[in-house]
């Protein structure tokens, strides 16, 4: 009897050891697989070669952005307005997932990004593109082939997408690097490279050379007739009184008897200069400068004679006052960005309700400071469009501030300070519904606005708009309240307030550069609004008390109240 029991005992011990070894091998294989899939190689700029950026008196911290295209809603309640300036919490809505699970989701989504781009494309394969393929050129720290704007799309980059983007931004050449990065410019400033060096596949298509590591596949975009080119990011800077000796130092001058605003902007865009300064028939092109600061601006009437082709300016202003426009060219001094040179021990949140313009404000902060913003989530679309802080762990301390839509006490108290961005709830609700239906840049259709999904969306999200602001006002330690509409109206003063709050120093040139490129690549066109008012009387009767409640809460904390257009009349 003892012998069978002994044999059974030995068999069980061997089985336990076998299962233990199999488990260890399984875990090791899984770890290696995850490590390989998350090691996406992306060409990084040489930081030593970048121009000096802004110094931080007390550098803030880093984080990450929206997860899986779904906005996380942390503990928020339907807020019932009360007369005392506060709000009572009603029913509680589902809590957000634990932070650990959220982080695992972000890492999982990260692992789904395209893997190593070492796929080669036949150099003689026919290319599908609109323009003309020029060739392969060097593009590294010392030799920059194209000096205009750039964008990323690690999933869907194609030669046509790059060419269309560069054409809309006023450039004549489009260059693709590493299969995913698009560079624009109006002149090629580096020598040719071997065609074998530009053999990577575009992420979004097969058959077109899409550059390599430190190499650009450059295309000449489709030709457009003079006067018919359509530009994005063109802004009127104002009327300025300029001394003759200053104007004569500008790098480019053109005499055009039939000068128009369009023709001068085209001239300066072709020269890759961000400012067009003109008084008929004289067109000058130059860099951004403190000469064009707000306190130097003159009355627009002084430049009134420059607006029509036949009128002549007053004699007293003929040689002094000039119209100034920002061209689509991105000033190189605010193009490059980097993570904080030293990790920060404090975390600064950029908090907002979804649809309140968080992505736009992140774009402005990165332009004006030169540092990446982070995110509590991970949004692959935003990362692909150049927000590199999306992939950085939100507590790393490498970003200047961190995007979040969270509004639970625990999530709020994890941050040392916060910029609270508030937008008119009617506009925020429409923007977020557009995003849910059609992505960051699309628009919901009339049928979607009329569907039962829209009233259900308003009934659940409108209380969240109020509870989000009230929670940050209650639990936030150090707050700067920024109203979206005020930022639109007075961009430069608001940007100064934000950079001061972030303990960042900035130059006047960088501030003006941010102004000239304020729209970025995430501005939704306002042309496709619903053909009717989507808000019913019942919806307005629900939303308006929320507006009053938040306004009273801001007043009780001696913070800037909601703009007048929010308040129901």
């Amino acid at each position: 009897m003892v012998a069978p029991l002994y044999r059974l005992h030995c068999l069980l011990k061997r089985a336990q050891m076998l299962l233990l070894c199999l488990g260890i091998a399984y875990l090791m294989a899984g770890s290696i697989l995850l490590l390989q899939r998350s090691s996406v190689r992306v060409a990084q700029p040489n930081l030593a070669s970048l121009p000096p950026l802004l110094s931080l008196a007390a550098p803030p911290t880093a984080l990450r952005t929206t997860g899986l295209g779904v906005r996380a809603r942390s503990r928020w309640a339907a807020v019932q307005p009360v007369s005392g300036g506060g709000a009572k919490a009603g029913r509680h809505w589902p809590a957000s997932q634990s932070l650990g699970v959220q982080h695992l989701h972000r890492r999982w989504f990260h692992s789904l990004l395209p893997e190593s781009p070492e796929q080669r494309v036949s150099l003689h394969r026919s290319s599908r593109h609109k323009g003309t393929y020029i060739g392969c050129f060097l593009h590294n720290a010392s030799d920059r082939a194209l000096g205009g704007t750039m964008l990323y799309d690690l999933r869907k980059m194609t030669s046509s997408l790059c060419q269309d983007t560069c054409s809309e931004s006023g450039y004549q050449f489009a260059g693709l690097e590493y299969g995913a990065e698009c560079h624009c410019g109006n002149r090629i400033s580096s020598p040719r490279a071997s065609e074998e060096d530009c053999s990577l596949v575009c992420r979004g298509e097969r058959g077109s050379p899409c550059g390599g590591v430190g190499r650009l596949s450059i295309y000449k975009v489709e030709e457009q007739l003079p006067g018919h080119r359509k530009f994005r990011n063109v802004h009127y800077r104002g009327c300025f009184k300029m001394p003759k000796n200053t104007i004569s130092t500008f790098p480019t001058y053109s005499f055009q008897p039939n000068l128009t605003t369009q023709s001068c902007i085209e001239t300066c865009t072709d020269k890759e200069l961000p400012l067009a300064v003109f008084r008929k028939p004289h067109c000058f092109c130059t860099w951004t400068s403190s000469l064009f600061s707000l306190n130097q601006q003159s009355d627009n009437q002084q430049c009134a004679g420059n607006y029509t082709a036949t009128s002549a300016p007053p004699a007293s202003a003929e040689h002094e006052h000039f119209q100034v426009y920002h061209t689509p060219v991105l000033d190189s001094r605010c193009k490059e960005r980097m993570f904080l040179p030293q990790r920060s021990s404090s975390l600064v949140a950029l908090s907002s309700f979804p649809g309140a313009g968080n992505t736009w404000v992140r774009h402005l902060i990165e332009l004006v400071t030169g540092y990446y913003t982070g995110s509590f989530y991970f949004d692959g679309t935003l990362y692909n469009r150049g927000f590199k802080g999306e992939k950085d762990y939100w507590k790393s301390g490498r970003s200047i501030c961190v995007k979040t839509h969270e509004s639970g006490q625990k999530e709020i108290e994890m941050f040392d300070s916060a910029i609270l961005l508030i937008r008119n709830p009617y506009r925020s609700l429409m923007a977020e519904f557009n995003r849910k239906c059609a992505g960051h840049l699309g628009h919901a259709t009339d049928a979607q606005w009329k569907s039962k999904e829209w009233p259900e969306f308003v009934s659940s999200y409108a209380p969240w708009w109020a509870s989000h602001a009230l929670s940050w006002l209650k639990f936030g330690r150090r707050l700067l309240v920024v109203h979206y509409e005020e930022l639109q109206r007075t961009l430069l003063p608001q940007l100064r307030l934000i950079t001061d709050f972030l303990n960042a120093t900035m130059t006047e040139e960088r501030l003006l550069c941010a102004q000239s490129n304020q729209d970025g690549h995430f501005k939704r066109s306002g042309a496709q609004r619903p053909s009717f008012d989507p808000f019913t009387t019942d919806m307005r009767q629900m939303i308006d008390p929320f507006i009053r409640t938040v306004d009273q809460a801001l007043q009780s904390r001696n913070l800037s109240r909601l703009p007048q257009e929010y308040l129901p009349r």
Side-chain angles (χ1 to χ4, degrees):
M1 184 68 182
V2 175
L5 289 177
Y6 177 75
R7 284 196 296 271
L8 177 61
H9 177 70
C10 292
L11 178 63
L12 290 176
K13 287 187 67 176
R14 285 196 296 270
Q16 287 178 338
M17 290 299 297
L18 178 62
L19 289 174
L20 178 62
C21 292
L22 288 175
I24 294 174
Y26 177 78
L27 291 175
M28 291 179 64
S31 300
I32 294 173
L33 178 62
L34 286 175
L35 182 62
Q36 288 177 339
R37 296 193 66 181
S38 62
S39 60
V40 180
R41 297 199 306 160
V42 178
Q44 298 291 335
N46 184 357
L47 296 183
S49 68
L50 303 183
L53 293 173
L54 311 179
S55 60
L56 289 173
T61 118
L63 307 103
R64 329 185 54 156
T65 8
T66 68
L68 303 180
V70 179
R71 312 284 188 175
R73 288 188 293 177
S74 70
R75 296 184 290 271
W76 53 275
V79 182
Q80 304 297 331
V82 294
S83 58
K88 295 179 181 179
R91 66 188 185 280
H92 288 279
W93 297 84
S96 62
Q97 296 172 315
S98 69
L99 298 181
V101 174
Q102 289 178 0
H103 182 58
L104 287 176
H105 280 189
R106 292 196 291 271
R107 292 303 298 269
W108 172 79
F109 193 83
H110 178 191
S111 72
L112 296 183
L113 282 176
E115 297 181 18
S116 177
E118 300 301 331
Q119 297 170 291
R120 302 293 169 177
V121 60
S122 173
L123 296 176
H124 303 290
R125 199 177 299 172
S126 61
S127 299
R128 297 183 295 273
H129 53 79
K130 297 179 180 179
T132 304
Y133 179 66
I134 303 297
C136 182
F137 292 82
L138 292 175
H139 189 75
N140 51 37
S142 57
D143 292 299
R144 308 288 290 180
L146 298 177
T149 189
M150 63 183 293
L151 74 141
Y152 310 85
D153 197 330
L154 298 185
R155 286 184 177 271
K156 301 177 182 178
M157 180 58 69
T158 66
S159 61
S160 295
L161 170 63
C162 183
Q163 290 178 55
D164 288 343
T165 301
C166 293
S167 178
E168 291 174 2
S169 300
Y171 294 100
Q172 298 181 29
F173 295 101
L176 295 114
E177 179 183 14
Y178 210 71
E181 297 183 7
C182 175
H183 299 258
C184 306
N186 282 313
R187 61 175 178 269
I188 302 174
S189 305
S190 69
R192 284 183 178 269
S194 171
E195 286 298 322
E196 284 75 13
D197 293 346
C198 290
S199 56
L200 295 185
V201 177
C202 286
R203 294 294 191 186
E205 69 179 341
R206 302 284 179 177
S208 295
C210 238
V213 180
R215 301 292 187 271
L216 288 187
S217 294
I218 296 183
Y219 297 83
K220 180 74 164 59
V221 302
E222 192 174 33
E223 292 285 354
Q224 290 179 311
L225 295 175
H228 290 79
R229 294 163 65 182
K230 295 180 180 180
F231 298 133
R232 296 190 307 177
N233 284 333
V234 173
H235 299 281
Y236 179 59
R237 184 72 187 88
C239 178
F240 292 86
K241 184 177 180 180
M242 302 296 299
K244 294 180 183 179
N245 58 350
T246 300
I247 286 288
S248 63
T249 64
F250 289 170
T252 299
Y253 167 68
S254 173
F255 179 86
Q256 303 178 27
N258 298 318
L259 180 70
T260 64
T261 302
Q262 172 79 5
S263 64
C264 188
I265 290 173
E266 284 189 7
T267 298
C268 296
T269 300
D270 291 343
K271 298 295 184 182
E272 289 191 356
L273 290 168
L275 288 183
V277 182
F278 65 94
R279 179 188 59 81
K280 295 179 181 179
H282 308 285
C283 173
F284 298 87
C285 308
T286 188
W287 302 100
T288 53
S289 168
S290 57
L291 292 170
F292 305 104
S293 60
L294 287 176
N295 57 359
Q296 300 291 331
Q297 193 168 349
S298 301
D299 186 344
N300 283 330
Q301 291 299 320
Q302 299 290 338
C303 291
N306 289 335
Y307 285 97
T308 64
T310 58
S311 60
S316 60
E318 184 175 359
H319 302 289
E320 298 176 355
H321 288 89
F322 294 82
Q323 297 178 63
V324 179
Y325 278 82
H326 287 289
T327 73
V329 177
L330 179 61
D331 193 321
S332 59
R333 286 172 287 188
C334 69
K335 181 174 63 176
E336 303 290 358
R337 302 163 203 179
M338 61 184 290
F339 288 106
L340 295 178
Q342 294 182 338
R343 294 179 185 267
S344 173
S345 59
S346 63
L347 291 174
V348 182
L350 176 59
S351 177
S352 73
F353 175 78
N358 200 303
T359 300
W360 178 50
V361 176
R362 288 180 65 190
H363 165 73
L364 293 172
I365 290 174
E366 291 192 2
L367 280 180
V368 81
T369 66
Y371 294 115
Y372 287 122
T373 58
S375 175
F376 189 74
Y377 320 100
F378 172 70
D379 188 328
T381 303
L382 293 181
Y383 176 79
N384 293 342
R385 289 287 183 169
F387 289 93
K388 289 192 174 181
E390 286 292 320
K391 207 194 288 190
D392 198 53
Y393 177 50
W394 70 276
K395 279 189 174 181
S396 70
R398 301 201 306 155
S399 304
I400 195 167
C401 63
V402 180
K403 168 186 176 175
T404 180
H405 298 305
E406 303 297 307
S407 55
Q409 179 179 354
K410 180 180 178 181
E411 289 84 355
I412 292 174
E413 291 179 345
M414 289 189 298
F415 293 96
D416 302 289
S417 56
I419 299 170
L420 177 59
L421 177 63
I422 302 178
R423 186 183 185 184
N424 188 315
Y426 290 100
R427 297 298 184 190
S428 293
L429 290 169
M430 291 181 68
E432 178 61 5
F433 190 71
N434 276 324
R435 188 197 68 84
K436 283 183 171 293
C437 293
H440 284 283
L441 299 177
H443 293 81
T445 63
D446 277 2
Q448 289 171 318
W449 291 110
K450 294 177 181 178
S451 70
K452 65 178 183 179
E453 183 181 355
W454 167 241
E456 292 174 354
F457 175 87
V458 173
S459 66
S460 63
Y461 272 63
W464 182 18
W465 176 87
S467 66
H468 177 275
L470 295 173
S471 296
W472 280 92
L473 291 172
K474 180 177 180 180
F475 301 114
R477 300 175 186 174
R478 174 176 170 258
L479 285 179
L480 172 67
V481 175
V482 175
H483 299 293
Y484 178 90
E485 290 75 13
E486 290 295 331
L487 188 61
Q488 284 184 314
R489 280 193 291 264
T490 58
L491 179 68
L492 298 187
Q494 292 293 315
L495 287 179
R496 288 191 177 97
L497 289 175
I498 291 172
T499 51
D500 287 344
F501 184 82
L502 294 171
N503 294 321
T505 58
M506 64 179 178
T507 63
E508 184 78 8
E509 286 79 7
R510 191 153 193 126
L511 185 65
L512 295 176
C513 180
Q515 182 194 40
S516 65
N517 295 274
Q518 58 187 273
D519 291 342
H521 294 287
F522 269 91
K523 181 178 176 63
R524 181 182 282 112
S525 169
Q528 300 181 27
R529 295 184 182 278
S531 60
F532 60 96
D533 184 356
F535 293 98
T536 64
T537 302
D538 290 342
M539 291 178 185
R540 293 184 181 277
Q541 289 176 350
M542 175 181 61
I543 295 171
D544 288 350
F546 293 146
I547 296 176
R548 294 191 185 96
T549 302
V550 173
D551 187 60
Q552 292 170 0
L554 288 168
Q555 185 180 20
S556 67
R557 283 202 55 172
N558 295 318
L559 297 169
S560 57
R561 299 178 62 181
L562 299 180
Q564 286 298 312
E565 63 259 32
Y566 286 29
L567 302 177
R569 288 174 171 79

